[in-house]
Amino acid sequence: MNQESIRVRFAPSPTGYLHVGGVRTALFNWFFARNKKGTFVLRIEDTDKIRSTREALDDILNSLKWLGLSWDEGPYFQSQRIGLYQQYAEKLLQQGKAYKSTLDQKEASNGKPERGLRGEATVFKSTKEQVVIEDIVHGRIEFDAGLMNDFVIIKSDGMPTYNFACVIDDALMKITHVIRGDDHISNTPKQIMVYQALEFTEPVFAHVPMILGPDGSRLSKRHGATSVGEYRRLGYLAPALLNFLSLLGWAPGEDKELLPPEEIIDRFSLERITGKSAVFNIEKLNWMNSIYISQLADDEMVLLCRPFFQAAGIDVSSEKLKKIVPLFKKRIKLLSEIIGATDYFFKDKIDYDSKAVDKFLRVPGGRDILARAKEKLSGLDDFTIAKIETALRDMVDDLGIKPRVLMQTLRVAITGRTVSAGIFETIVGMGKERTGKHIDQALGLAEGNSDKG
């Protein structure tokens, strides 16, 4: 098979938001198509008229775009192809490979019968022969078709069933490889029978293992965020999420874990997909996301963090953010953490950690250190890192204290915490006026004042 002839598809149903299992399926299709210089087709399976929504469709399209999974054809909509499905069902009827049957509507949809709702459905005649799948991931899978009943292909309301519509679409769209979750394995024998009945060329099948939670159960909301949109809102980066999901059921070799999309494309093959279920590890995703954040250019990080400040009601200039945000590239795991990490830059009154106050402010000499630091800083005309560092380091000799004592006392005074970004960069980002206000507040807590604030 020529590489140029490779055609794969991602076919979500717009009945809910795009979740990580669906994204992983889309990813494997996209990586395979790009590796083989083939075609990635997007098809929207929206024949469920009741449950399909525009909101879900927009979420799917926006999520794919955010992740950078561009499609080469589509999106095609099954709801616009109903005539095609009915045409091929009629062909099977004429060939005696299908028949009409009066069924309850829910029975025709493979559900439980409901009284009073009866209609004529089109039913496919099972071939009663063995069906074999040569699956790239799972190997040879054999099904005894004699155990399979006839099945509905056109429901009584005229809509096609999943197992019929996807065969017609895959055949007419010349899909060469069907890469999907292994929860579809049970559907495949029925689809193969339809392929054979219509004399369509069967695609190559690759059924990808399920994604499980850490407790071994199927991944669900109780294991954390599951929709792509939610991960985006929490501050995960698209390349990090792509990297992480690509490793759920696929191995690049050489024990590599951090791979940009270009390298994954270069290394990707269906043969490297494992048959074992993959375990979703949120700690690993967070670690991976922190690495990607640390590698952002300063301007890009500011741009990505700005919406979180806006959502928190913090209206600050880009110039201010450029001084503050890059300080936390190696200190946060999620972009959304930037608000909690930087809140003291924007508050007029600090929320102090009581243990930090007792350890660094309510100690002998604490008040003198803060008073001298305020004096030094307020006297600076050039409020730069170099000038601030020089002024503060001069204090060390004047007071006869260790540099770390000065820096930690000042850090607690202006941030309320024992851990922060570099103290000199923090002071510059905070500005002279706000730094002075915070030191004044800390002076009220230093030794000699019984008010704990």
Side-chain angles (χ1 to χ4, degrees):
M1 185 178 292
N2 295 329
Q3 286 193 346
E4 288 74 20
S5 66
I6 295 293
R7 291 176 61 85
V8 297
R9 48 71 165 180
F10 177 52
S13 176
T15 55
Y17 296 145
L18 185 61
H19 53 79
V20 295
V23 172
R24 201 270 307 266
T25 297
L27 266 181
F28 283 6
N29 278 277
W30 189 79
F31 285 140
F32 183 64
R34 294 295 176 261
N35 176 271
K36 299 297 184 183
K37 296 180 173 58
T39 302
F40 178 62
V41 178
L42 177 60
R43 184 172 75 228
I44 306 299
E45 299 190 338
D46 58 344
T47 57
D48 188 334
K49 294 183 292 185
I50 296 177
R51 297 174 60 223
S52 295
T53 68
R54 181 71 204 189
E55 181 182 9
L57 173 61
D58 289 343
D59 176 78
I60 291 169
L61 298 179
N62 290 334
S63 294
L64 291 175
K65 290 175 182 176
W66 175 66
L67 290 166
L69 302 184
S70 55
W71 50 92
D72 305 305
E73 287 186 18
Y76 298 109
F77 293 86
Q78 285 189 333
S79 60
Q80 299 173 4
R81 299 165 63 85
I82 303 301
L84 280 172
Y85 312 132
Q86 294 173 340
Q87 174 186 330
Y88 280 96
E90 185 62 31
K91 182 176 181 179
L92 291 174
L93 285 169
Q94 293 174 2
Q95 294 175 344
K97 297 176 181 178
Y99 58 91
K100 292 284 189 176
S101 177
T102 302
L103 300 170
D104 292 307
Q105 283 189 7
K106 286 195 175 181
E107 184 179 359
S109 303
N110 297 324
K112 295 180 180 179
E114 181 176 305
R115 290 183 180 180
L117 296 175
R118 300 184 66 81
E120 195 171 55
T122 304
V123 182
F124 182 86
K125 290 182 181 179
S126 174
T127 58
K128 308 300 182 184
E129 296 175 358
Q130 186 184 56
V131 176
V132 176
I133 308 173
E134 296 293 349
D135 190 272
I136 290 182
V137 178
H138 297 277
R140 185 181 179 88
I141 307 174
E142 298 181 358
F143 292 87
D144 184 355
L147 300 177
M148 287 189 282
N149 298 321
D150 297 349
F151 54 93
V152 174
I153 54 176
I154 299 291
K155 295 179 284 188
S156 56
D157 62 359
M159 300 299 284
T161 57
Y162 167 76
N163 283 321
F164 188 61
C166 78
V167 170
I168 303 303
D169 285 338
D170 286 344
L172 297 184
M173 294 177 186
K174 295 181 170 55
I175 300 301
T176 60
H177 293 70
V178 172
I179 307 166
R180 59 189 179 189
D182 61 11
D183 54 331
H184 283 287
I185 288 179
S186 60
N187 291 320
T188 307
K190 296 178 181 179
Q191 294 173 15
I192 287 178
M193 285 192 284
V194 175
Y195 275 108
Q196 294 172 347
L198 291 170
E199 298 182 347
F200 287 147
T201 300
E202 296 174 33
V204 176
F205 289 98
H207 289 92
V208 179
M210 301 294 289
I211 301 176
L212 304 179
D215 58 359
S217 64
R218 187 167 180 170
L219 188 65
S220 65
K221 287 186 176 180
R222 72 174 181 275
H223 299 115
T226 56
S227 73
V228 175
E230 192 170 350
Y231 282 106
R232 184 180 183 180
R233 286 188 290 274
L234 286 171
Y236 288 90
L237 300 181
L241 189 59
L242 283 183
N243 191 160
F244 174 75
L245 292 177
S246 71
L247 299 178
L248 295 182
W250 174 78
E254 302 177 18
D255 294 326
K256 295 198 69 172
E257 290 190 311
L258 295 171
L259 302 99
E262 297 77 16
E263 188 171 351
I264 298 176
I265 290 171
D266 185 59
R267 291 170 174 263
F268 193 83
S269 72
L270 297 179
E271 287 73 21
R272 283 188 174 272
I273 298 176
T274 178
K276 288 180 57 179
S277 294
V279 177
F280 189 94
N281 185 329
I282 190 67
E283 287 78 18
K284 184 173 182 178
L285 172 58
N286 290 344
W287 165 78
M288 192 170 285
N289 199 61
S290 71
I291 298 298
Y292 275 83
I293 288 176
S294 71
Q295 296 172 348
L296 289 172
D298 289 356
D299 287 347
E300 185 178 9
M301 187 171 178
V302 169
L303 185 65
L304 291 171
C305 286
R306 175 172 282 283
F308 293 95
F309 286 103
Q310 292 173 335
I314 300 174
D315 185 16
V316 62
S317 68
S318 295
E319 289 304 313
K320 180 81 168 178
L321 290 183
K322 286 179 182 178
K323 293 180 180 179
I324 297 171
V325 170
L327 301 178
F328 296 86
K329 283 202 293 187
K330 295 184 179 181
R331 295 178 177 273
I332 60 175
K333 294 179 180 179
L334 308 176
L335 293 178
S336 57
E337 293 176 351
I338 194 67
I339 301 303
T342 63
D343 61 352
Y344 50 80
F345 283 97
F346 311 104
K347 287 183 174 181
D348 288 329
K349 189 173 183 180
I350 290 293
D351 299 318
Y352 286 97
D353 178 281
S354 59
K355 291 183 179 179
V357 169
D358 290 339
K359 186 175 181 179
F360 295 101
L361 301 186
R362 288 199 176 98
V363 293
R367 175 183 289 277
D368 191 28
I369 291 173
L370 294 179
R372 294 287 293 275
K374 182 184 179 184
E375 181 183 355
K376 287 279 189 180
L377 294 174
S378 61
L380 292 177
D381 293 327
D382 190 8
F383 211 66
T384 62
I385 291 176
K387 292 293 185 180
I388 290 170
E389 182 174 2
T390 299
L392 292 179
R393 290 198 183 280
D394 286 345
M395 282 181 55
V396 173
D397 296 330
D398 294 343
L399 295 173
I401 59 176
K402 294 180 178 179
R404 65 179 180 82
V405 173
L406 168 63
M407 304 311 171
Q408 200 65 352
T409 301
L410 197 53
R411 175 176 285 108
V412 172
I414 66 174
T415 72
R417 310 170 189 182
T418 57
V419 178
S420 73
I423 187 63
F424 307 122
E425 292 84 355
T426 298
I427 292 173
V428 169
M430 190 169 288
K432 182 189 290 189
E433 181 180 355
R434 195 175 297 273
T435 297
K437 286 182 178 180
H438 290 180
I439 292 177
D440 283 341
Q441 184 183 349
L443 280 167
L445 301 173
E447 185 183 80
N449 193 309
S450 60
D451 181 15
K452 293 201 173 194

